Amino acid sequence: MQKSIETTGVSRDAAIEKALMQLGLERDDVSVEVLENGKKGFLGFGAAPARVRVTYEVPDAPAAAPASRAERQETRAERKPEAVQPAARIEARPDLSNVDPADPRLTTPHLVKAAPPKGEQPEKPAHAERPSGPRPRRSFDRDRPRREPRPPRVSQPREEKPVIPVSPEAMEKVTVEAVRFISGLLEQMGIKAEVKVCDQLIADQLRLEIVGEDMGPVIGRRGDTLDAIQYLTSLVMSRVTEEHVRLSIDTENYRVKRAESLERLARKMAGKAVQYRKPMVLEPMNPYERRIIHSTLQDYAGVTTYSTGSEPGRRVVIAPEGARRGYRPRGNR
């Protein structure tokens, strides 16, 4: 069974944190619907708090144990009224000793109906006779086309972009420029860390790892800061060479842990979509995280996934099969 509460706060994140503190749950255990984004106002005028609705799941109440046979019999005995014996009816029989059998009143045709002779059955009216043989089929049954069974849904694998190898000269240039840019950015942020180049697993991908003591500020909330560093670095790399090089920046194995968390969240919300027969809208995600949700539920029976909204608020919708597509949460309207 699902329940929900509405909370307000100075910002959307503050309202969500307030609801989580009241419920004592984690962020992955609830689904959030933004009702009002809130306004900061100008000099304190026109400010409006943000309002969100947080939906969480509570266990259903246990069903009452069935009553025993003895209890059911006692209940029926209490509900059944006592039988009332009807009073004996005493009918006075008329005296027929002085009645004349030839009295015409006793042989009136419309009052006395002659019984058929013994051994003969009375004739049935014509409308009661039914034709023998099989019952004819109705016209709408004969003309109605038979519906063919629906073929099972077969999920098509997603097409991956072909890998175009990058020349060693271009890869060396982008590597030097990426390491130089990230090192300078970390220095400006006041973070002591080192940028290491990882082994190249794909021909067109550069893998870097930031190593340091405290990498919390580098990761940010749900990886926002790490994604921003990766995006800025990719822009700098595009100016060095015309060849397309994909970039992946990680620290403290965050990418793998985040992918596993998203896979668990996807399966959990898919189960809710099938159980409650309603679409489940996830929080806004970047294209990489949305791709993880789609690929995880690609072969999940009974649900379909699609994205709605515009960047940076684009989010994934997990809907049961056959549901009307195009559902949009209130926060994006």
Side-chain angles (χ1 to χ4, degrees):
M1 183 173 62
Q2 284 188 328
K3 290 187 178 182
S4 61
I5 62 171
E6 295 184 7
T7 56
T8 58
V10 179
S11 62
R12 181 178 57 185
D13 296 337
I16 295 174
E17 292 296 335
K18 182 179 179 181
L20 294 178
M21 291 181 61
Q22 293 181 7
L23 299 175
L25 300 175
E26 297 293 336
R27 180 61 181 83
D28 294 339
D29 298 334
V30 299
S31 58
V32 180
E33 182 179 354
V34 180
L35 304 179
E36 294 181 6
N37 285 322
K39 299 179 181 178
K40 294 183 179 180
F42 179 72
L43 298 179
F45 297 98
R51 186 163 61 94
V52 298
R53 178 183 292 121
V54 176
T55 305
Y56 60 98
E57 186 175 4
V58 297
D60 298 335
S68 61
R69 185 174 181 180
E71 294 177 355
R72 292 197 300 268
Q73 291 179 354
E74 292 178 1
T75 306
R76 291 176 183 175
E78 294 177 358
R79 294 180 180 177
K80 185 176 180 180
E82 296 182 359
V84 179
Q85 298 293 338
R89 292 182 299 176
I90 301 176
E91 297 182 357
R93 295 184 178 181
D95 187 7
L96 302 179
S97 59
N98 298 327
V99 177
D100 186 4
D103 192 347
R105 293 177 299 177
L106 301 179
T107 59
T108 306
H110 68 278
L111 295 179
V112 180
K113 184 176 181 180
K118 188 175 182 180
E120 295 183 5
Q121 297 295 335
E123 297 182 359
K124 295 183 180 180
H127 63 79
E129 297 181 359
R130 294 183 179 178
S132 61
R135 181 179 178 182
R137 296 178 61 187
R138 298 183 180 180
S139 60
F140 63 84
D141 290 336
R142 184 172 57 255
D143 300 337
R144 178 183 298 175
R146 295 184 178 275
R147 180 176 298 176
E148 306 231 347
R150 185 177 180 182
R153 178 176 176 266
V154 179
S155 58
Q156 298 293 338
R158 298 181 182 271
E159 297 182 359
E160 297 183 357
K161 296 182 179 179
V163 177
I164 302 176
V166 182
S167 62
E169 296 79 9
M171 184 63 71
E172 184 178 357
K173 288 182 181 180
V174 296
T175 302
V176 173
E177 190 65 24
V179 172
R180 184 190 63 81
F181 175 77
I182 297 175
S183 300
L185 185 61
L186 295 175
E187 184 179 352
Q188 294 294 329
M189 296 172 62
I191 299 175
K192 294 181 180 180
E194 181 183 358
V195 182
K196 292 185 178 181
V197 181
C198 303
D199 296 337
Q200 186 176 355
L201 302 178
I202 305 177
D204 63 341
Q205 185 182 31
L206 173 62
R207 298 172 59 242
L208 301 177
E209 183 178 3
I210 302 176
V211 181
E213 295 181 358
D214 184 14
M215 292 292 98
V218 175
I219 297 175
R221 182 182 178 276
R222 299 192 182 277
D224 292 344
T225 307
L226 188 63
D227 293 338
I229 295 175
Q230 179 173 302
Y231 175 71
L232 295 175
T233 308
S234 62
L235 293 180
V236 173
M237 291 168 47
S238 63
R239 298 180 182 180
V240 177
T241 179
E242 295 181 357
E243 298 185 34
H244 179 68
V245 181
R246 292 189 296 174
L247 176 64
S248 174
I249 302 178
D250 197 3
T251 179
E252 294 183 350
N253 206 21
Y254 172 78
R255 299 291 186 189
V256 177
K257 296 177 182 178
R258 178 61 174 167
E260 295 175 353
S261 176
L262 291 175
E263 291 175 359
R264 292 194 300 268
L265 176 64
R267 296 189 186 94
K268 178 180 179 181
M269 300 307 289
K272 289 185 178 181
V274 174
Q275 179 181 1
Y276 299 109
R277 300 298 302 170
K278 60 181 294 188
M280 295 292 168
V281 186
L282 305 184
E283 61 183 5
M285 299 179 184
N286 56 43
Y288 170 75
E289 295 181 345
R290 295 198 304 269
R291 197 178 304 115
I292 293 176
I293 300 295
H294 291 308
S295 61
T296 302
L297 300 180
Q298 184 175 0
D299 299 327
Y300 197 99
V303 298
T304 181
T305 61
Y306 59 91
S307 299
T308 183
S310 56
E311 299 291 354
R314 192 166 177 80
R315 49 183 86 203
V316 178
V317 179
I318 304 174
E321 275 189 348
R324 181 175 62 87
R325 186 163 179 172
Y327 176 81
R328 298 181 61 188
R330 293 184 180 181
N332 288 353
R333 294 180 181 175

Short mmCIF file of all heavy atoms in Angstrom, two decimals, residues 139-172:
data_model
loop_
_atom_site.label_atom_id
_atom_site.label_comp_id
_atom_site.label_asym_id
_atom_site.label_seq_id
_atom_site.Cartn_x
_atom_site.Cartn_y
_atom_site.Cartn_z
N SER A 139 -26.53 -15.02 -36.56
CA SER A 139 -25.85 -14.36 -37.67
C SER A 139 -24.61 -13.61 -37.20
O SER A 139 -23.57 -13.64 -37.85
CB SER A 139 -26.81 -13.41 -38.38
OG SER A 139 -27.26 -12.42 -37.47
N PHE A 140 -24.71 -12.94 -36.03
CA PHE A 140 -23.56 -12.17 -35.59
C PHE A 140 -22.42 -13.07 -35.15
O PHE A 140 -21.27 -12.69 -35.22
CB PHE A 140 -23.95 -11.19 -34.47
CG PHE A 140 -24.43 -11.86 -33.22
CD1 PHE A 140 -23.53 -12.31 -32.28
CD2 PHE A 140 -25.78 -12.03 -32.99
CE1 PHE A 140 -23.97 -12.92 -31.11
CE2 PHE A 140 -26.21 -12.64 -31.83
CZ PHE A 140 -25.31 -13.09 -30.89
N ASP A 141 -22.74 -14.31 -34.70
CA ASP A 141 -21.68 -15.25 -34.39
C ASP A 141 -20.98 -15.75 -35.65
O ASP A 141 -19.79 -16.01 -35.66
CB ASP A 141 -22.22 -16.43 -33.60
CG ASP A 141 -22.64 -16.03 -32.19
OD1 ASP A 141 -22.10 -15.03 -31.71
OD2 ASP A 141 -23.48 -16.72 -31.60
N ARG A 142 -21.77 -15.91 -36.73
CA ARG A 142 -21.20 -16.43 -37.96
C ARG A 142 -20.40 -15.37 -38.70
O ARG A 142 -19.38 -15.67 -39.33
CB ARG A 142 -22.34 -16.95 -38.85
CG ARG A 142 -21.84 -17.60 -40.14
CD ARG A 142 -22.97 -18.27 -40.88
NE ARG A 142 -24.06 -17.35 -41.21
CZ ARG A 142 -25.23 -17.33 -40.58
NH1 ARG A 142 -25.47 -18.16 -39.58
NH2 ARG A 142 -26.19 -16.48 -40.93
N ASP A 143 -20.85 -14.12 -38.64
CA ASP A 143 -20.18 -13.06 -39.40
C ASP A 143 -19.02 -12.43 -38.63
O ASP A 143 -18.22 -11.72 -39.22
CB ASP A 143 -21.19 -11.96 -39.76
CG ASP A 143 -22.32 -12.51 -40.63
OD1 ASP A 143 -22.08 -13.55 -41.28
OD2 ASP A 143 -23.40 -11.91 -40.64
N ARG A 144 -18.95 -12.64 -37.32
CA ARG A 144 -17.90 -12.00 -36.53
C ARG A 144 -16.55 -12.66 -36.82
O ARG A 144 -16.41 -13.87 -36.73
CB ARG A 144 -18.20 -12.11 -35.04
CG ARG A 144 -17.12 -11.49 -34.16
CD ARG A 144 -17.45 -11.71 -32.71
NE ARG A 144 -18.70 -11.05 -32.35
CZ ARG A 144 -19.27 -11.17 -31.14
NH1 ARG A 144 -18.69 -11.91 -30.22
NH2 ARG A 144 -20.40 -10.57 -30.89
N PRO A 145 -15.55 -11.88 -37.19
CA PRO A 145 -14.23 -12.48 -37.46
C PRO A 145 -13.57 -12.92 -36.16
O PRO A 145 -13.70 -12.28 -35.12
CB PRO A 145 -13.45 -11.33 -38.13
CG PRO A 145 -14.11 -10.09 -37.61
CD PRO A 145 -15.56 -10.43 -37.43
N ARG A 146 -12.86 -14.00 -36.24
CA ARG A 146 -12.16 -14.51 -35.07
C ARG A 146 -10.89 -13.72 -34.83
O ARG A 146 -10.14 -13.45 -35.77
CB ARG A 146 -11.82 -15.99 -35.24
CG ARG A 146 -13.07 -16.88 -35.31
CD ARG A 146 -12.66 -18.34 -35.38
NE ARG A 146 -13.84 -19.19 -35.39
CZ ARG A 146 -14.48 -19.60 -34.31
NH1 ARG A 146 -14.04 -19.23 -33.12
NH2 ARG A 146 -15.55 -20.37 -34.39
N ARG A 147 -10.68 -13.32 -33.54
CA ARG A 147 -9.51 -12.51 -33.19
C ARG A 147 -8.30 -13.43 -33.02
O ARG A 147 -8.31 -14.38 -32.27
CB ARG A 147 -9.76 -11.74 -31.90
CG ARG A 147 -8.60 -10.89 -31.47
CD ARG A 147 -8.95 -10.09 -30.26
NE ARG A 147 -10.05 -9.17 -30.52
CZ ARG A 147 -10.61 -8.39 -29.60
NH1 ARG A 147 -10.17 -8.45 -28.35
NH2 ARG A 147 -11.62 -7.60 -29.91
N GLU A 148 -7.25 -13.10 -33.73
CA GLU A 148 -6.03 -13.90 -33.66
C GLU A 148 -5.25 -13.58 -32.38
O GLU A 148 -5.26 -12.45 -31.92
CB GLU A 148 -5.16 -13.62 -34.88
CG GLU A 148 -5.93 -13.84 -36.13
CD GLU A 148 -5.19 -14.73 -37.07
OE1 GLU A 148 -4.05 -14.93 -36.81
OE2 GLU A 148 -5.80 -15.22 -38.00
N PRO A 149 -4.62 -14.56 -31.76
CA PRO A 149 -3.85 -14.28 -30.53
C PRO A 149 -2.73 -13.30 -30.79
O PRO A 149 -2.08 -13.33 -31.84
CB PRO A 149 -3.31 -15.67 -30.12
CG PRO A 149 -3.37 -16.48 -31.36
CD PRO A 149 -4.52 -15.96 -32.17
N ARG A 150 -2.52 -12.44 -29.83
CA ARG A 150 -1.49 -11.42 -29.97
C ARG A 150 -0.11 -12.05 -29.82
O ARG A 150 0.14 -12.81 -28.89
CB ARG A 150 -1.68 -10.34 -28.89
CG ARG A 150 -0.74 -9.18 -29.03
CD ARG A 150 -1.07 -8.15 -27.97
NE ARG A 150 -0.18 -7.00 -28.07
CZ ARG A 150 -0.23 -5.96 -27.24
NH1 ARG A 150 -1.11 -5.95 -26.27
NH2 ARG A 150 0.60 -4.95 -27.40
N PRO A 151 0.79 -11.76 -30.74
CA PRO A 151 2.14 -12.36 -30.63
C PRO A 151 2.86 -11.82 -29.41
O PRO A 151 2.65 -10.69 -28.99
CB PRO A 151 2.83 -11.94 -31.93
CG PRO A 151 2.09 -10.72 -32.37
CD PRO A 151 0.68 -10.89 -31.91
N PRO A 152 3.72 -12.61 -28.80
CA PRO A 152 4.47 -12.13 -27.62
C PRO A 152 5.40 -10.99 -27.99
O PRO A 152 5.94 -10.92 -29.09
CB PRO A 152 5.25 -13.38 -27.16
CG PRO A 152 5.33 -14.24 -28.39
CD PRO A 152 4.09 -13.98 -29.18
N ARG A 153 5.58 -10.09 -27.02
CA ARG A 153 6.43 -8.92 -27.24
C ARG A 153 7.90 -9.34 -27.17
O ARG A 153 8.33 -9.96 -26.21
CB ARG A 153 6.14 -7.84 -26.18
CG ARG A 153 7.01 -6.61 -26.29
CD ARG A 153 6.56 -5.60 -25.25
NE ARG A 153 7.42 -4.43 -25.26
CZ ARG A 153 8.47 -4.29 -24.46
NH1 ARG A 153 8.76 -5.25 -23.60
NH2 ARG A 153 9.21 -3.20 -24.51
N VAL A 154 8.62 -8.99 -28.19
CA VAL A 154 10.04 -9.30 -28.25
C VAL A 154 10.81 -7.99 -28.21
O VAL A 154 10.61 -7.10 -29.05
CB VAL A 154 10.39 -10.08 -29.54
CG1 VAL A 154 11.88 -10.38 -29.58
CG2 VAL A 154 9.58 -11.36 -29.62
N SER A 155 11.62 -7.83 -27.20
CA SER A 155 12.38 -6.59 -27.05
C SER A 155 13.54 -6.58 -28.04
O SER A 155 14.27 -7.56 -28.18
CB SER A 155 12.91 -6.47 -25.62
OG SER A 155 13.71 -7.60 -25.32
N GLN A 156 13.66 -5.45 -28.72
CA GLN A 156 14.73 -5.30 -29.68
C GLN A 156 15.97 -4.74 -29.00
O GLN A 156 15.87 -3.79 -28.22
CB GLN A 156 14.29 -4.36 -30.82
CG GLN A 156 13.09 -4.87 -31.61
CD GLN A 156 13.44 -6.11 -32.41
OE1 GLN A 156 14.61 -6.34 -32.71
NE2 GLN A 156 12.42 -6.91 -32.74
N PRO A 157 17.13 -5.30 -29.24
CA PRO A 157 18.34 -4.75 -28.62
C PRO A 157 18.64 -3.36 -29.16
O PRO A 157 18.39 -3.04 -30.32
CB PRO A 157 19.43 -5.76 -29.02
CG PRO A 157 18.90 -6.42 -30.25
CD PRO A 157 17.40 -6.45 -30.11
N ARG A 158 19.15 -2.52 -28.28
CA ARG A 158 19.48 -1.16 -28.67
C ARG A 158 20.75 -1.16 -29.52
O ARG A 158 21.72 -1.86 -29.23
CB ARG A 158 19.70 -0.27 -27.44
CG ARG A 158 18.46 -0.17 -26.58
CD ARG A 158 18.72 0.73 -25.38
NE ARG A 158 17.55 0.80 -24.54
CZ ARG A 158 16.58 1.68 -24.68
NH1 ARG A 158 16.66 2.57 -25.64
NH2 ARG A 158 15.53 1.68 -23.88
N GLU A 159 20.68 -0.37 -30.59
CA GLU A 159 21.83 -0.29 -31.48
C GLU A 159 22.89 0.62 -30.87
O GLU A 159 22.60 1.72 -30.41
CB GLU A 159 21.40 0.26 -32.84
CG GLU A 159 20.40 -0.64 -33.56
CD GLU A 159 20.03 -0.09 -34.93
OE1 GLU A 159 20.57 1.00 -35.26
OE2 GLU A 159 19.25 -0.72 -35.63
N GLU A 160 24.11 0.12 -30.83
CA GLU A 160 25.22 0.90 -30.30
C GLU A 160 25.97 1.57 -31.44
O GLU A 160 26.07 1.04 -32.55
CB GLU A 160 26.18 -0.01 -29.52
CG GLU A 160 25.53 -0.65 -28.30
CD GLU A 160 26.53 -1.48 -27.52
OE1 GLU A 160 27.69 -1.57 -28.00
OE2 GLU A 160 26.15 -2.02 -26.48
N LYS A 161 26.48 2.76 -31.14
CA LYS A 161 27.21 3.49 -32.16
C LYS A 161 28.52 2.77 -32.46
O LYS A 161 29.17 2.23 -31.57
CB LYS A 161 27.49 4.92 -31.67
CG LYS A 161 26.22 5.73 -31.46
CD LYS A 161 26.56 7.13 -31.02
CE LYS A 161 25.30 7.96 -30.82
NZ LYS A 161 25.64 9.35 -30.36
N PRO A 162 28.89 2.75 -33.73
CA PRO A 162 30.15 2.08 -34.07
C PRO A 162 31.34 2.81 -33.47
O PRO A 162 31.35 4.03 -33.34
CB PRO A 162 30.17 2.12 -35.61
CG PRO A 162 29.28 3.28 -35.96
CD PRO A 162 28.21 3.32 -34.91
N VAL A 163 32.35 2.04 -33.07
CA VAL A 163 33.55 2.61 -32.47
C VAL A 163 34.52 3.00 -33.58
O VAL A 163 34.88 2.17 -34.43
CB VAL A 163 34.21 1.59 -31.51
CG1 VAL A 163 35.50 2.15 -30.95
CG2 VAL A 163 33.23 1.22 -30.40
N ILE A 164 34.90 4.27 -33.58
CA ILE A 164 35.86 4.77 -34.56
C ILE A 164 37.19 4.94 -33.85
O ILE A 164 37.30 5.76 -32.93
CB ILE A 164 35.38 6.10 -35.16
CG1 ILE A 164 34.00 5.91 -35.82
CG2 ILE A 164 36.39 6.63 -36.17
CD1 ILE A 164 33.41 7.19 -36.37
N PRO A 165 38.22 4.19 -34.23
CA PRO A 165 39.51 4.31 -33.53
C PRO A 165 40.10 5.72 -33.67
O PRO A 165 39.89 6.41 -34.67
CB PRO A 165 40.39 3.27 -34.24
CG PRO A 165 39.43 2.33 -34.89
CD PRO A 165 38.22 3.15 -35.26
N VAL A 166 40.80 6.13 -32.62
CA VAL A 166 41.45 7.45 -32.59
C VAL A 166 42.95 7.23 -32.80
O VAL A 166 43.54 6.28 -32.26
CB VAL A 166 41.18 8.15 -31.25
CG1 VAL A 166 41.81 9.54 -31.24
CG2 VAL A 166 39.68 8.25 -31.01
N SER A 167 43.55 8.11 -33.58
CA SER A 167 44.98 7.99 -33.86
C SER A 167 45.79 8.19 -32.58
O SER A 167 45.37 8.93 -31.67
CB SER A 167 45.39 9.01 -34.91
OG SER A 167 45.15 10.32 -34.43
N PRO A 168 46.95 7.56 -32.47
CA PRO A 168 47.78 7.73 -31.25
C PRO A 168 48.18 9.18 -31.02
O PRO A 168 48.27 9.62 -29.85
CB PRO A 168 48.99 6.84 -31.53
CG PRO A 168 48.54 5.85 -32.54
CD PRO A 168 47.53 6.55 -33.38
N GLU A 169 48.45 9.95 -32.08
CA GLU A 169 48.84 11.35 -31.91
C GLU A 169 47.70 12.16 -31.28
O GLU A 169 47.92 12.94 -30.34
CB GLU A 169 49.24 11.96 -33.25
CG GLU A 169 50.47 11.34 -33.90
CD GLU A 169 50.15 10.02 -34.60
OE1 GLU A 169 48.94 9.70 -34.71
OE2 GLU A 169 51.10 9.32 -35.00
N ALA A 170 46.47 11.97 -31.78
CA ALA A 170 45.33 12.70 -31.22
C ALA A 170 45.05 12.29 -29.78
O ALA A 170 44.75 13.13 -28.93
CB ALA A 170 44.10 12.49 -32.09
N MET A 171 45.17 10.99 -29.48
CA MET A 171 44.93 10.54 -28.12
C MET A 171 45.96 11.10 -27.15
O MET A 171 45.64 11.47 -26.02
CB MET A 171 44.95 9.00 -28.08
CG MET A 171 44.62 8.40 -26.72
SD MET A 171 42.93 8.81 -26.17
CE MET A 171 41.98 7.78 -27.30
N GLU A 172 47.21 11.22 -27.59
CA GLU A 172 48.24 11.79 -26.73
C GLU A 172 47.99 13.27 -26.46
O GLU A 172 48.16 13.74 -25.32
CB GLU A 172 49.61 11.59 -27.38
CG GLU A 172 50.77 12.06 -26.52
CD GLU A 172 52.12 11.81 -27.18
OE1 GLU A 172 52.14 11.23 -28.28
OE2 GLU A 172 53.14 12.22 -26.58
#
